Amino acid sequence: MSQHDKQSLQVGLIGLGAMGMGTATAMLKQGFNVTGCDISAGARDAFVAAGGQSVATPAELAHCHIVLVVVVNGAQVEQVLFGEQGVVSHLARDSLIIQCATVAPSQAKQLGERVAAEGLLLLDAPISGGAAKAKSGELSVMASGATEAFTYAEAVLNAMAAKVYRLGDAPGVGSSMKLVNQLLAGVHIATAAEAMALGIRMGLDPEVIYDVITHSAGNSWMFENRVPHILSGDYTPLSAVDIFVKDLNIVHQTGRELALATPVASSALQQFTAASGAGFGREDDSAVIKVYQRLSGIALPEAANDAQGA
């Protein structure tokens, strides 16, 4: 696709949160004409300041050829696509929706059928990599859908991702793969928190724990990435506790649908649920360690101490 083609292609993106804003600005830098949509006026203004255009409702993206959905959960996906101000009924036939939110595979399949009934294409394309990789256009995309959808989406996917996995020819497969990733990610974060809590309770220096484990077999990407938040006491939500309450609930729900037990994921879900119930749902997901602080009185790095906790 030439630069002229990029400029003539109208791209919409619904959900200007950390991942959506990063993805939208990455596409701007690649020369795409991008219109962002978010209920937050602040988010819309920030995207306009970055060089994009903005609208307040999905229905106002009717002019777009491709619409990316980067919202928080399945209920929001339903609302922005099919709600009163949803975009689906306003798009021209053969337009493409790239659905990037983490939803149940069963919902992804249903979305594909409903969108196809409206004469539109759907790419089931969950994303992974975090806000930093979204901004640099280096996400991983786990996608499934018709060949036509992949062909239409190719330039946009290349602009937002370092790696695009083509996993199947129908919606549902991409969301299935993302669910495997989220099971592992959630368990790894919960386990990292438990390991740090144990070490601290035994009197080990948290900084030393981090140094040793990141050079040992017990390390994981999530341990290496999230434990520094605990060490610095910075629980700014790059990915919030409540995200894993949602995603691990989807794991649990899907396991029930398949009659497949997921006991390790279920244990992690309980820890994230406890953290959310204790008031930490909107904090960074590493704040799951505060459950251990509340239960056993461990002393977390000073800046992270919860005044209402221990």
Side-chain angles (χ1 to χ4, degrees), residues 33 71 114 148 150 153 163 169 185 208 212 221 254 276 281 286:
N33 189 337
V71 295
R114 293 168 68 190
E148 184 182 0
F150 274 105
K163 181 68 176 178
D169 59 5
V208 174
V212 172
W221 191 93
T254 303
S276 183
S286 59

Side-chain angles (χ1 to χ4, degrees), residues 109-127:
K109 293 175 186 176
Q110 292 168 1
L111 288 172
E113 293 167 0
R114 293 168 68 190
V115 165
E118 299 290 335
L120 308 175
L121 296 167
L122 178 80
L123 204 59
D124 176 26
I127 53 180

Side-chain angles (χ1 to χ4, degrees), residues 96-251:
L96 171 66
I97 295 168
I98 304 177
Q99 203 299 100
C100 300
T102 301
V103 302
S106 55
Q107 182 180 4
K109 293 175 186 176
Q110 292 168 1
L111 288 172
E113 293 167 0
R114 293 168 68 190
V115 165
E118 299 290 335
L120 308 175
L121 296 167
L122 178 80
L123 204 59
D124 176 26
I127 53 180
S128 183
K133 287 190 176 180
K135 189 174 182 179
S136 63
E138 296 178 306
L139 292 169
S140 291
V141 179
M142 308 165 209
S144 63
T147 300
E148 184 182 0
F150 274 105
T151 301
Y152 202 173
E154 184 176 6
V156 167
L157 293 175
N158 288 342
M160 63 189 281
K163 181 68 176 178
V164 178
Y165 294 95
R166 294 184 62 156
L167 301 172
D169 59 5
V173 187
S175 287
S176 295
M177 184 61 71
K178 180 62 185 295
L179 205 56
V180 172
N181 182 79
Q182 294 310 92
L183 184 157
L184 289 165
V187 166
H188 286 171
I189 294 168
T191 304
E194 184 164 294
M196 289 300 297
L198 175 64
I200 291 168
R201 186 61 182 266
M202 292 190 299
L204 298 175
D205 182 326
E207 297 277 356
V208 174
I209 298 171
Y210 180 75
D211 185 39
V212 172
I213 295 303
T214 54
H215 293 88
S216 303
N219 191 31
S220 68
W221 191 93
M222 282 300 190
F223 186 98
E224 192 162 342
N225 184 266
R226 296 306 204 267
V227 171
H229 305 174
I230 297 169
L231 299 178
S232 66
D234 184 0
Y235 294 101
T236 303
L238 301 180
S239 176
V241 163
D242 279 345
I243 294 294
F244 277 101
V245 174
K246 170 186 72 78
D247 289 356
L248 290 174
N249 260 309
I250 297 174
V251 171

Side-chain angles (χ1 to χ4, degrees), residues 221-309:
W221 191 93
M222 282 300 190
F223 186 98
E224 192 162 342
N225 184 266
R226 296 306 204 267
V227 171
H229 305 174
I230 297 169
L231 299 178
S232 66
D234 184 0
Y235 294 101
T236 303
L238 301 180
S239 176
V241 163
D242 279 345
I243 294 294
F244 277 101
V245 174
K246 170 186 72 78
D247 289 356
L248 290 174
N249 260 309
I250 297 174
V251 171
H252 180 67
Q253 169 198 332
T254 303
R256 289 184 64 182
E257 291 173 1
L258 299 172
L260 176 72
T262 54
V264 178
S266 295
S267 180
L269 171 59
Q270 292 304 314
Q271 291 302 101
F272 283 108
T273 302
S276 183
F280 309 128
R282 293 182 179 273
E283 295 188 20
D284 186 77
D285 49 34
S286 59
V288 71
I289 197 172
K290 295 186 180 182
V291 173
Y292 297 94
Q293 182 189 42
R294 289 244 172 141
L295 292 174
S296 62
I298 60 170
L300 297 178
E302 186 175 348
N305 282 340
D306 171 28
Q308 299 176 349

Side-chain angles (χ1 to χ4, degrees), residues 10-63:
Q10 297 291 325
V11 178
L13 188 145
I14 305 172
L16 295 171
M19 296 287 280
M21 182 69 79
T23 299
T25 54
M27 287 192 292
L28 284 179
K29 291 174 185 175
Q30 291 289 323
F32 286 94
N33 189 337
V34 185
T35 303
C37 174
D38 199 282
I39 58 173
S40 164
R44 297 196 303 270
D45 291 345
F47 185 56
V48 170
Q53 304 169 65
S54 75
V55 295
T57 66
E60 295 173 82
L61 296 174
H63 64 289

